[in-house]
Amino acid sequence: MNPNWNLDNLYTSFQSEKLISDLSDLDRMVLDMNTFAEDCFKPGTDIENTLASYCRKMDDLESLMSQIYSYGHLTYAVDTKNSEAIKLVDRIENMKPLLAPVYTAYRRWLETIDNLDDILSSSDACRPYAFAVKEEKRKAEHLLSDAEEVLLAALENTGSSAWNRLQDATISSLTAAYDGKQVPIAVIRSLANDPSAEVRRNAYESELASYQKTEAVSAACLNAIKGEVLTVAEKRGYKSPLDMTLEASRMDSETLDAMFNAIEEYLPVFRSYLKKKAHMLGYNGALPFHCLFAPVGEMNRTFTLEEASDYIVEQFSGFSDRLGAFARNAFDSRWIDGEPREGKVSGAFCSNQHRIGESRIMANFTGTFNDVTTLAHELGHGYHGDCLKDELYANSNYPMPLAETASIFAETIVLNAALETATPGEKLTLVENAVMNATQVIVDIYSRYLFESALFEKRKEGALSVDELKELMLDAQRKAYGEGLDQEKLHPYMWACKPHYYYAGYNFYNFPYAFGLLFAKGLYGIYLKEGDDFIPTYDRLLKATGQNNVADVLALAGFDAHKPDFFRESLEVIRKDIDYILSV
């Protein structure tokens, strides 16, 4: 099985006739949209025809722009030294300032339309874009002047986007000393799953030591990006970056508060699990950080990438033929880049390519069962995109909290299917692995949320030093993990290795994971009750995520997002697994 993905269905090379032609078309489309905005967003224009025409044109433009950008980004993700990829990404990002006047003029024009809702409901041409249009009108409330919008878009390319690329390149090329040689940091981090306590401890110490080589660069990148975000949020009239993120996430503060209230109630439950794990691994008291991912039980099975693909397809097919066929096609069609190597960014992600109806999945697969569930997670993202592939591009973009629903649901399918045939020893391993992952998504995510909240507050006063960033991270981990983790063996550099902190457009990309886990657990509970009858409902629900806010999507599933009860019910599912571990 080829461990590297194939991007030919996007473009065959940076010199391909198709890419050159598409770039030319994109240049023309950008100019056309600017002319359209100048000519049509005026008093007295035919509102219905103008709105429908704009939506069609912009949908095609943004879809093509996304495809071209993705080709550069995906190439760069697995080869951060590829200069052609960097140039293509830069070229597309440099188009954003050219579109800024168009978006600004469009949003200002929408504010002048008093009967917009009537037009959207009565016009066959406009109705398909209704949700996206209303969302754009809401954004008009935070517009700056035309000149400021253009300037802001231009400065972003040499500001936060450039700092983000620097951090990516810095971490992807970082190596650590291990066993007498220099090893890519992604490989070092994967050793946290090793059965040997000595290997885990040595890898942990080597990892922390390696960040000392790049800590100043990472701190500079983080300070610059968060400083820009604070400035933009203030200028746009948001109360905070979190307020800005919630609006972009189509999520209200009542839902966020309900979720975190429930999570805080259950932190002692997770801490009891961590102390139990410490005992199972031979430690007295709390668990050292380097043992968070230590395997427990008798299942030490490893997988080749090909074995993992067969395993995932089998389990997915047990849920639905469509999901299984999707995964089989993703593996067979080389949509997946699974091999860890120097120059490749760390972690894993899925990039849905709406224009061609495909996805591309990057992972750093080392053969553990956790790597298998990571692949299942990313394939879940891909399946989410597959459910939306026939929608308009404008209706294919779902908010961050809903982005994790299908991925975590897919993980749950793989785990629960594996449990059905597990021996008692294997069951302990599988359940503990699930609780371990849930602890990351609930407790560690909570620590990341606390860290980022404190970081923004401190950044208002000025740039933070490396030591200050380390202390903020340690403080967040202490508050979240409490007595469950050894307070002398935490991870002060978690801010340096997690890429989400460096996305200026995706602040607080932490709580969506917790939300996604709890929503997915709730949906899986419905599936267990309804069986195959739930599958069409599940697909429709994923399809609805592009045109609804978070609370409305939960309502479609029968949940009230503003009450902690729903989140408590999902956390109770995890508690049952923890109770099983405590009973062993």
Side-chain angles (χ1 to χ4, degrees):
M1 181 176 181
N2 195 314
N4 306 136
W5 57 27
N6 186 316
L7 303 181
D8 287 353
N9 284 358
L10 291 172
Y11 301 101
T12 56
S13 74
F14 290 96
Q15 293 77 36
S16 69
E17 291 184 6
K18 185 173 186 299
L19 177 56
I20 293 170
S21 175
D22 281 354
L23 281 168
S24 178
D25 286 346
L26 186 60
D27 287 336
R28 174 187 53 76
M29 293 162 75
V30 170
L31 290 175
D32 178 59
M33 288 308 300
N34 274 274
T35 301
F36 182 92
E38 292 175 0
D39 294 344
C40 299
F41 295 147
K42 297 177 179 178
T45 188
D46 184 328
I47 295 175
E48 181 180 339
N49 288 335
T50 298
L51 183 58
S53 181
Y54 172 86
C55 289
R56 286 193 302 269
K57 288 175 178 288
M58 188 56 78
D59 205 61
D60 194 29
L61 186 158
E62 290 180 335
S63 174
L64 180 59
M65 178 179 282
S66 175
Q67 176 173 309
I68 297 173
Y69 177 87
S70 291
Y71 181 65
H73 169 69
L74 293 171
T75 303
Y76 171 81
V78 297
D79 181 11
T80 55
K81 296 180 181 179
N82 190 307
S83 60
E84 291 181 303
I86 295 171
K87 288 178 182 177
L88 183 62
V89 168
D90 280 345
R91 178 167 177 177
I92 299 303
E93 289 187 341
N94 286 332
M95 287 185 174
K96 292 180 182 178
L98 302 178
L99 287 171
V102 179
Y103 292 127
T104 302
Y106 173 57
R107 291 165 186 165
R108 294 197 197 286
W109 178 68
L110 289 177
E111 284 192 299
T112 68
I113 305 174
D114 295 328
N115 61 334
L116 182 61
D117 288 347
D118 293 337
I119 293 172
L120 292 172
S121 61
S122 63
S123 169
D124 291 340
C126 297
R127 191 181 304 110
Y129 301 95
F131 184 82
V133 170
K134 292 177 182 178
E135 201 165 39
E136 288 297 300
K137 185 174 182 179
R138 284 192 294 272
K139 291 178 182 178
E141 300 173 8
H142 300 284
L143 281 175
L144 304 177
S145 69
D146 292 357
E148 286 173 319
E149 289 291 343
V150 173
L151 179 61
L152 185 61
L155 290 177
E156 180 182 309
N157 293 336
T158 52
S160 57
S161 293
W163 288 107
N164 174 237
R165 289 195 297 273
L166 174 60
Q167 172 67 3
D168 272 351
T170 298
I171 296 300
S172 65
S173 60
L174 180 62
T175 60
Y178 188 81
D179 199 21
K181 56 186 177 182
Q182 291 293 316
V183 180
I185 197 67
V187 175
I188 287 290
R189 286 180 56 77
S190 72
L191 295 177
N193 300 283
D194 196 274
S196 167
E198 183 180 4
V199 169
R200 295 194 303 270
R201 184 180 62 254
N202 290 340
Y204 163 78
E205 293 173 353
S206 178
E207 180 192 356
L208 295 190
S210 72
Y211 291 127
Q212 295 177 21
K213 298 182 290 186
T214 59
E215 61 182 11
V217 174
S218 293
C221 293
L222 191 59
N223 275 302
I225 292 167
K226 296 308 185 187
E228 178 182 306
V229 171
L230 281 165
T231 299
V232 171
E234 179 185 1
K235 294 298 182 183
R236 291 200 181 282
Y238 290 100
K239 292 183 292 185
S240 67
L242 177 60
D243 187 44
M244 183 168 65
T245 297
L246 285 171
E247 182 172 302
S249 301
R250 303 177 193 162
M251 184 172 176
D252 52 38
S253 59
E254 291 86 352
T255 301
L256 185 70
D257 290 343
M259 181 183 73
F260 275 132
N261 286 339
I263 285 174
E264 288 168 358
E265 291 174 12
Y266 279 76
L267 288 177
V269 177
F270 286 94
R271 291 166 184 168
S272 66
Y273 149 72
L274 292 169
K275 287 187 285 187
K276 174 67 173 183
K277 181 167 185 174
H279 176 73
M280 296 169 78
L281 294 173
Y283 294 93
N284 292 322
L287 187 71
F289 193 96
H290 65 265
C291 291
L292 270 173
F293 305 104
V296 171
E298 300 174 3
M299 186 176 179
N300 295 319
R301 179 182 174 186
T302 59
F303 296 76
T304 65
L305 190 56
E306 186 170 6
E307 289 170 340
S309 70
D310 291 340
Y311 186 78
I312 290 170
V313 170
E314 179 183 359
Q315 313 309 345
F316 279 9
S317 298
F319 173 74
S320 77
D321 291 338
R322 178 182 174 183
L323 180 58
F326 170 82
R328 181 77 276 162
N329 183 55
F331 285 109
D332 291 347
S333 301
R334 291 180 57 194
W335 292 3
I336 297 168
D337 195 296
E339 176 190 45
R341 55 190 180 274
E342 187 175 354
K344 180 177 178 179
V345 299
S346 60
F349 66 80
C350 173
S351 177
N352 291 328
Q353 299 302 309
H354 186 267
R355 198 175 181 88
I356 62 173
E358 298 179 0
S359 298
R360 290 299 181 272
I361 291 165
M362 193 209 78
N364 283 279
F365 187 84
T366 60
T368 66
F369 184 75
N370 199 50
D371 288 338
V372 176
T373 58
T374 296
L375 273 179
H377 179 105
E378 300 305 337
L379 284 162
H381 282 303
Y383 184 71
H384 196 164
D386 192 68
C387 290
L388 287 159
K389 68 181 181 181
D390 295 326
E391 294 292 304
L392 295 165
Y393 180 76
N395 295 333
S396 69
N397 297 308
Y398 41 81
M400 290 193 299
L402 298 176
E404 297 304 320
T405 304
S407 54
I408 296 175
F409 193 95
E411 281 187 59
T412 306
I413 291 172
V414 169
L415 172 66
N416 284 17
L419 283 170
E420 292 179 2
T421 58
T423 65
E426 290 174 338
K427 180 180 179 181
L428 173 60
T429 300
L430 291 169
V431 172
E432 194 282 326
N433 190 75
V435 172
M436 174 184 69
N437 289 334
T439 303
Q440 282 296 292
V441 176
I442 299 298
V443 185
D444 199 69
I445 286 297
Y446 183 53
S447 76
R448 298 182 212 180
Y449 174 79
L450 293 175
F451 168 78
E452 195 161 4
S453 298
L455 172 58
F456 273 121
E457 285 302 310
K458 290 288 186 182
R459 186 62 184 85
K460 292 177 184 178
E461 303 167 7
L464 284 78
S465 67
V466 169
D467 287 342
E468 287 175 314
L469 290 170
K470 290 163 63 177
E471 185 53 41
L472 282 185
M473 180 56 73
L474 290 174
D475 184 59
Q477 290 172 357
R478 293 185 193 108
K479 290 176 179 176
Y481 284 100
E483 71 276 12
L485 277 191
D486 185 337
Q487 301 293 291
E488 301 302 318
K489 293 183 176 64
L490 300 174
H491 196 309
Y493 285 105
M494 196 56 73
W495 54 272
C497 64
K498 292 297 181 184
H500 293 158
Y501 294 126
Y502 299 84
Y503 301 158
Y506 295 94
N507 301 285
F508 291 98
Y509 206 151
N510 35 61
F511 68 78
Y513 285 94
F515 182 93
L517 172 70
L518 298 177
F519 188 29
K521 290 291 185 184
L523 291 177
Y524 200 83
I526 297 176
Y527 167 61
L528 292 178
K529 295 176 183 176
E530 299 183 1
D532 291 346
D533 291 341
F534 172 71
I535 295 171
T537 301
Y538 178 67
D539 289 348
R540 287 195 297 270
L541 192 71
L542 294 181
K543 189 173 183 178
T545 56
Q547 299 181 69
N548 286 279
N549 61 41
V550 169
D552 289 341
V553 171
L554 260 70
L556 291 173
F559 303 131
D560 186 342
H562 293 168
K563 293 182 178 179
D565 294 349
F566 157 68
F567 301 104
R568 290 182 184 128
E569 289 177 11
S570 295
L571 285 162
E572 274 297 313
V573 174
I574 302 171
R575 182 204 280 269
K576 291 178 182 178
D577 288 339
I578 291 176
D579 287 344
Y580 169 77
I581 294 171
L582 295 178
S583 70
V584 175

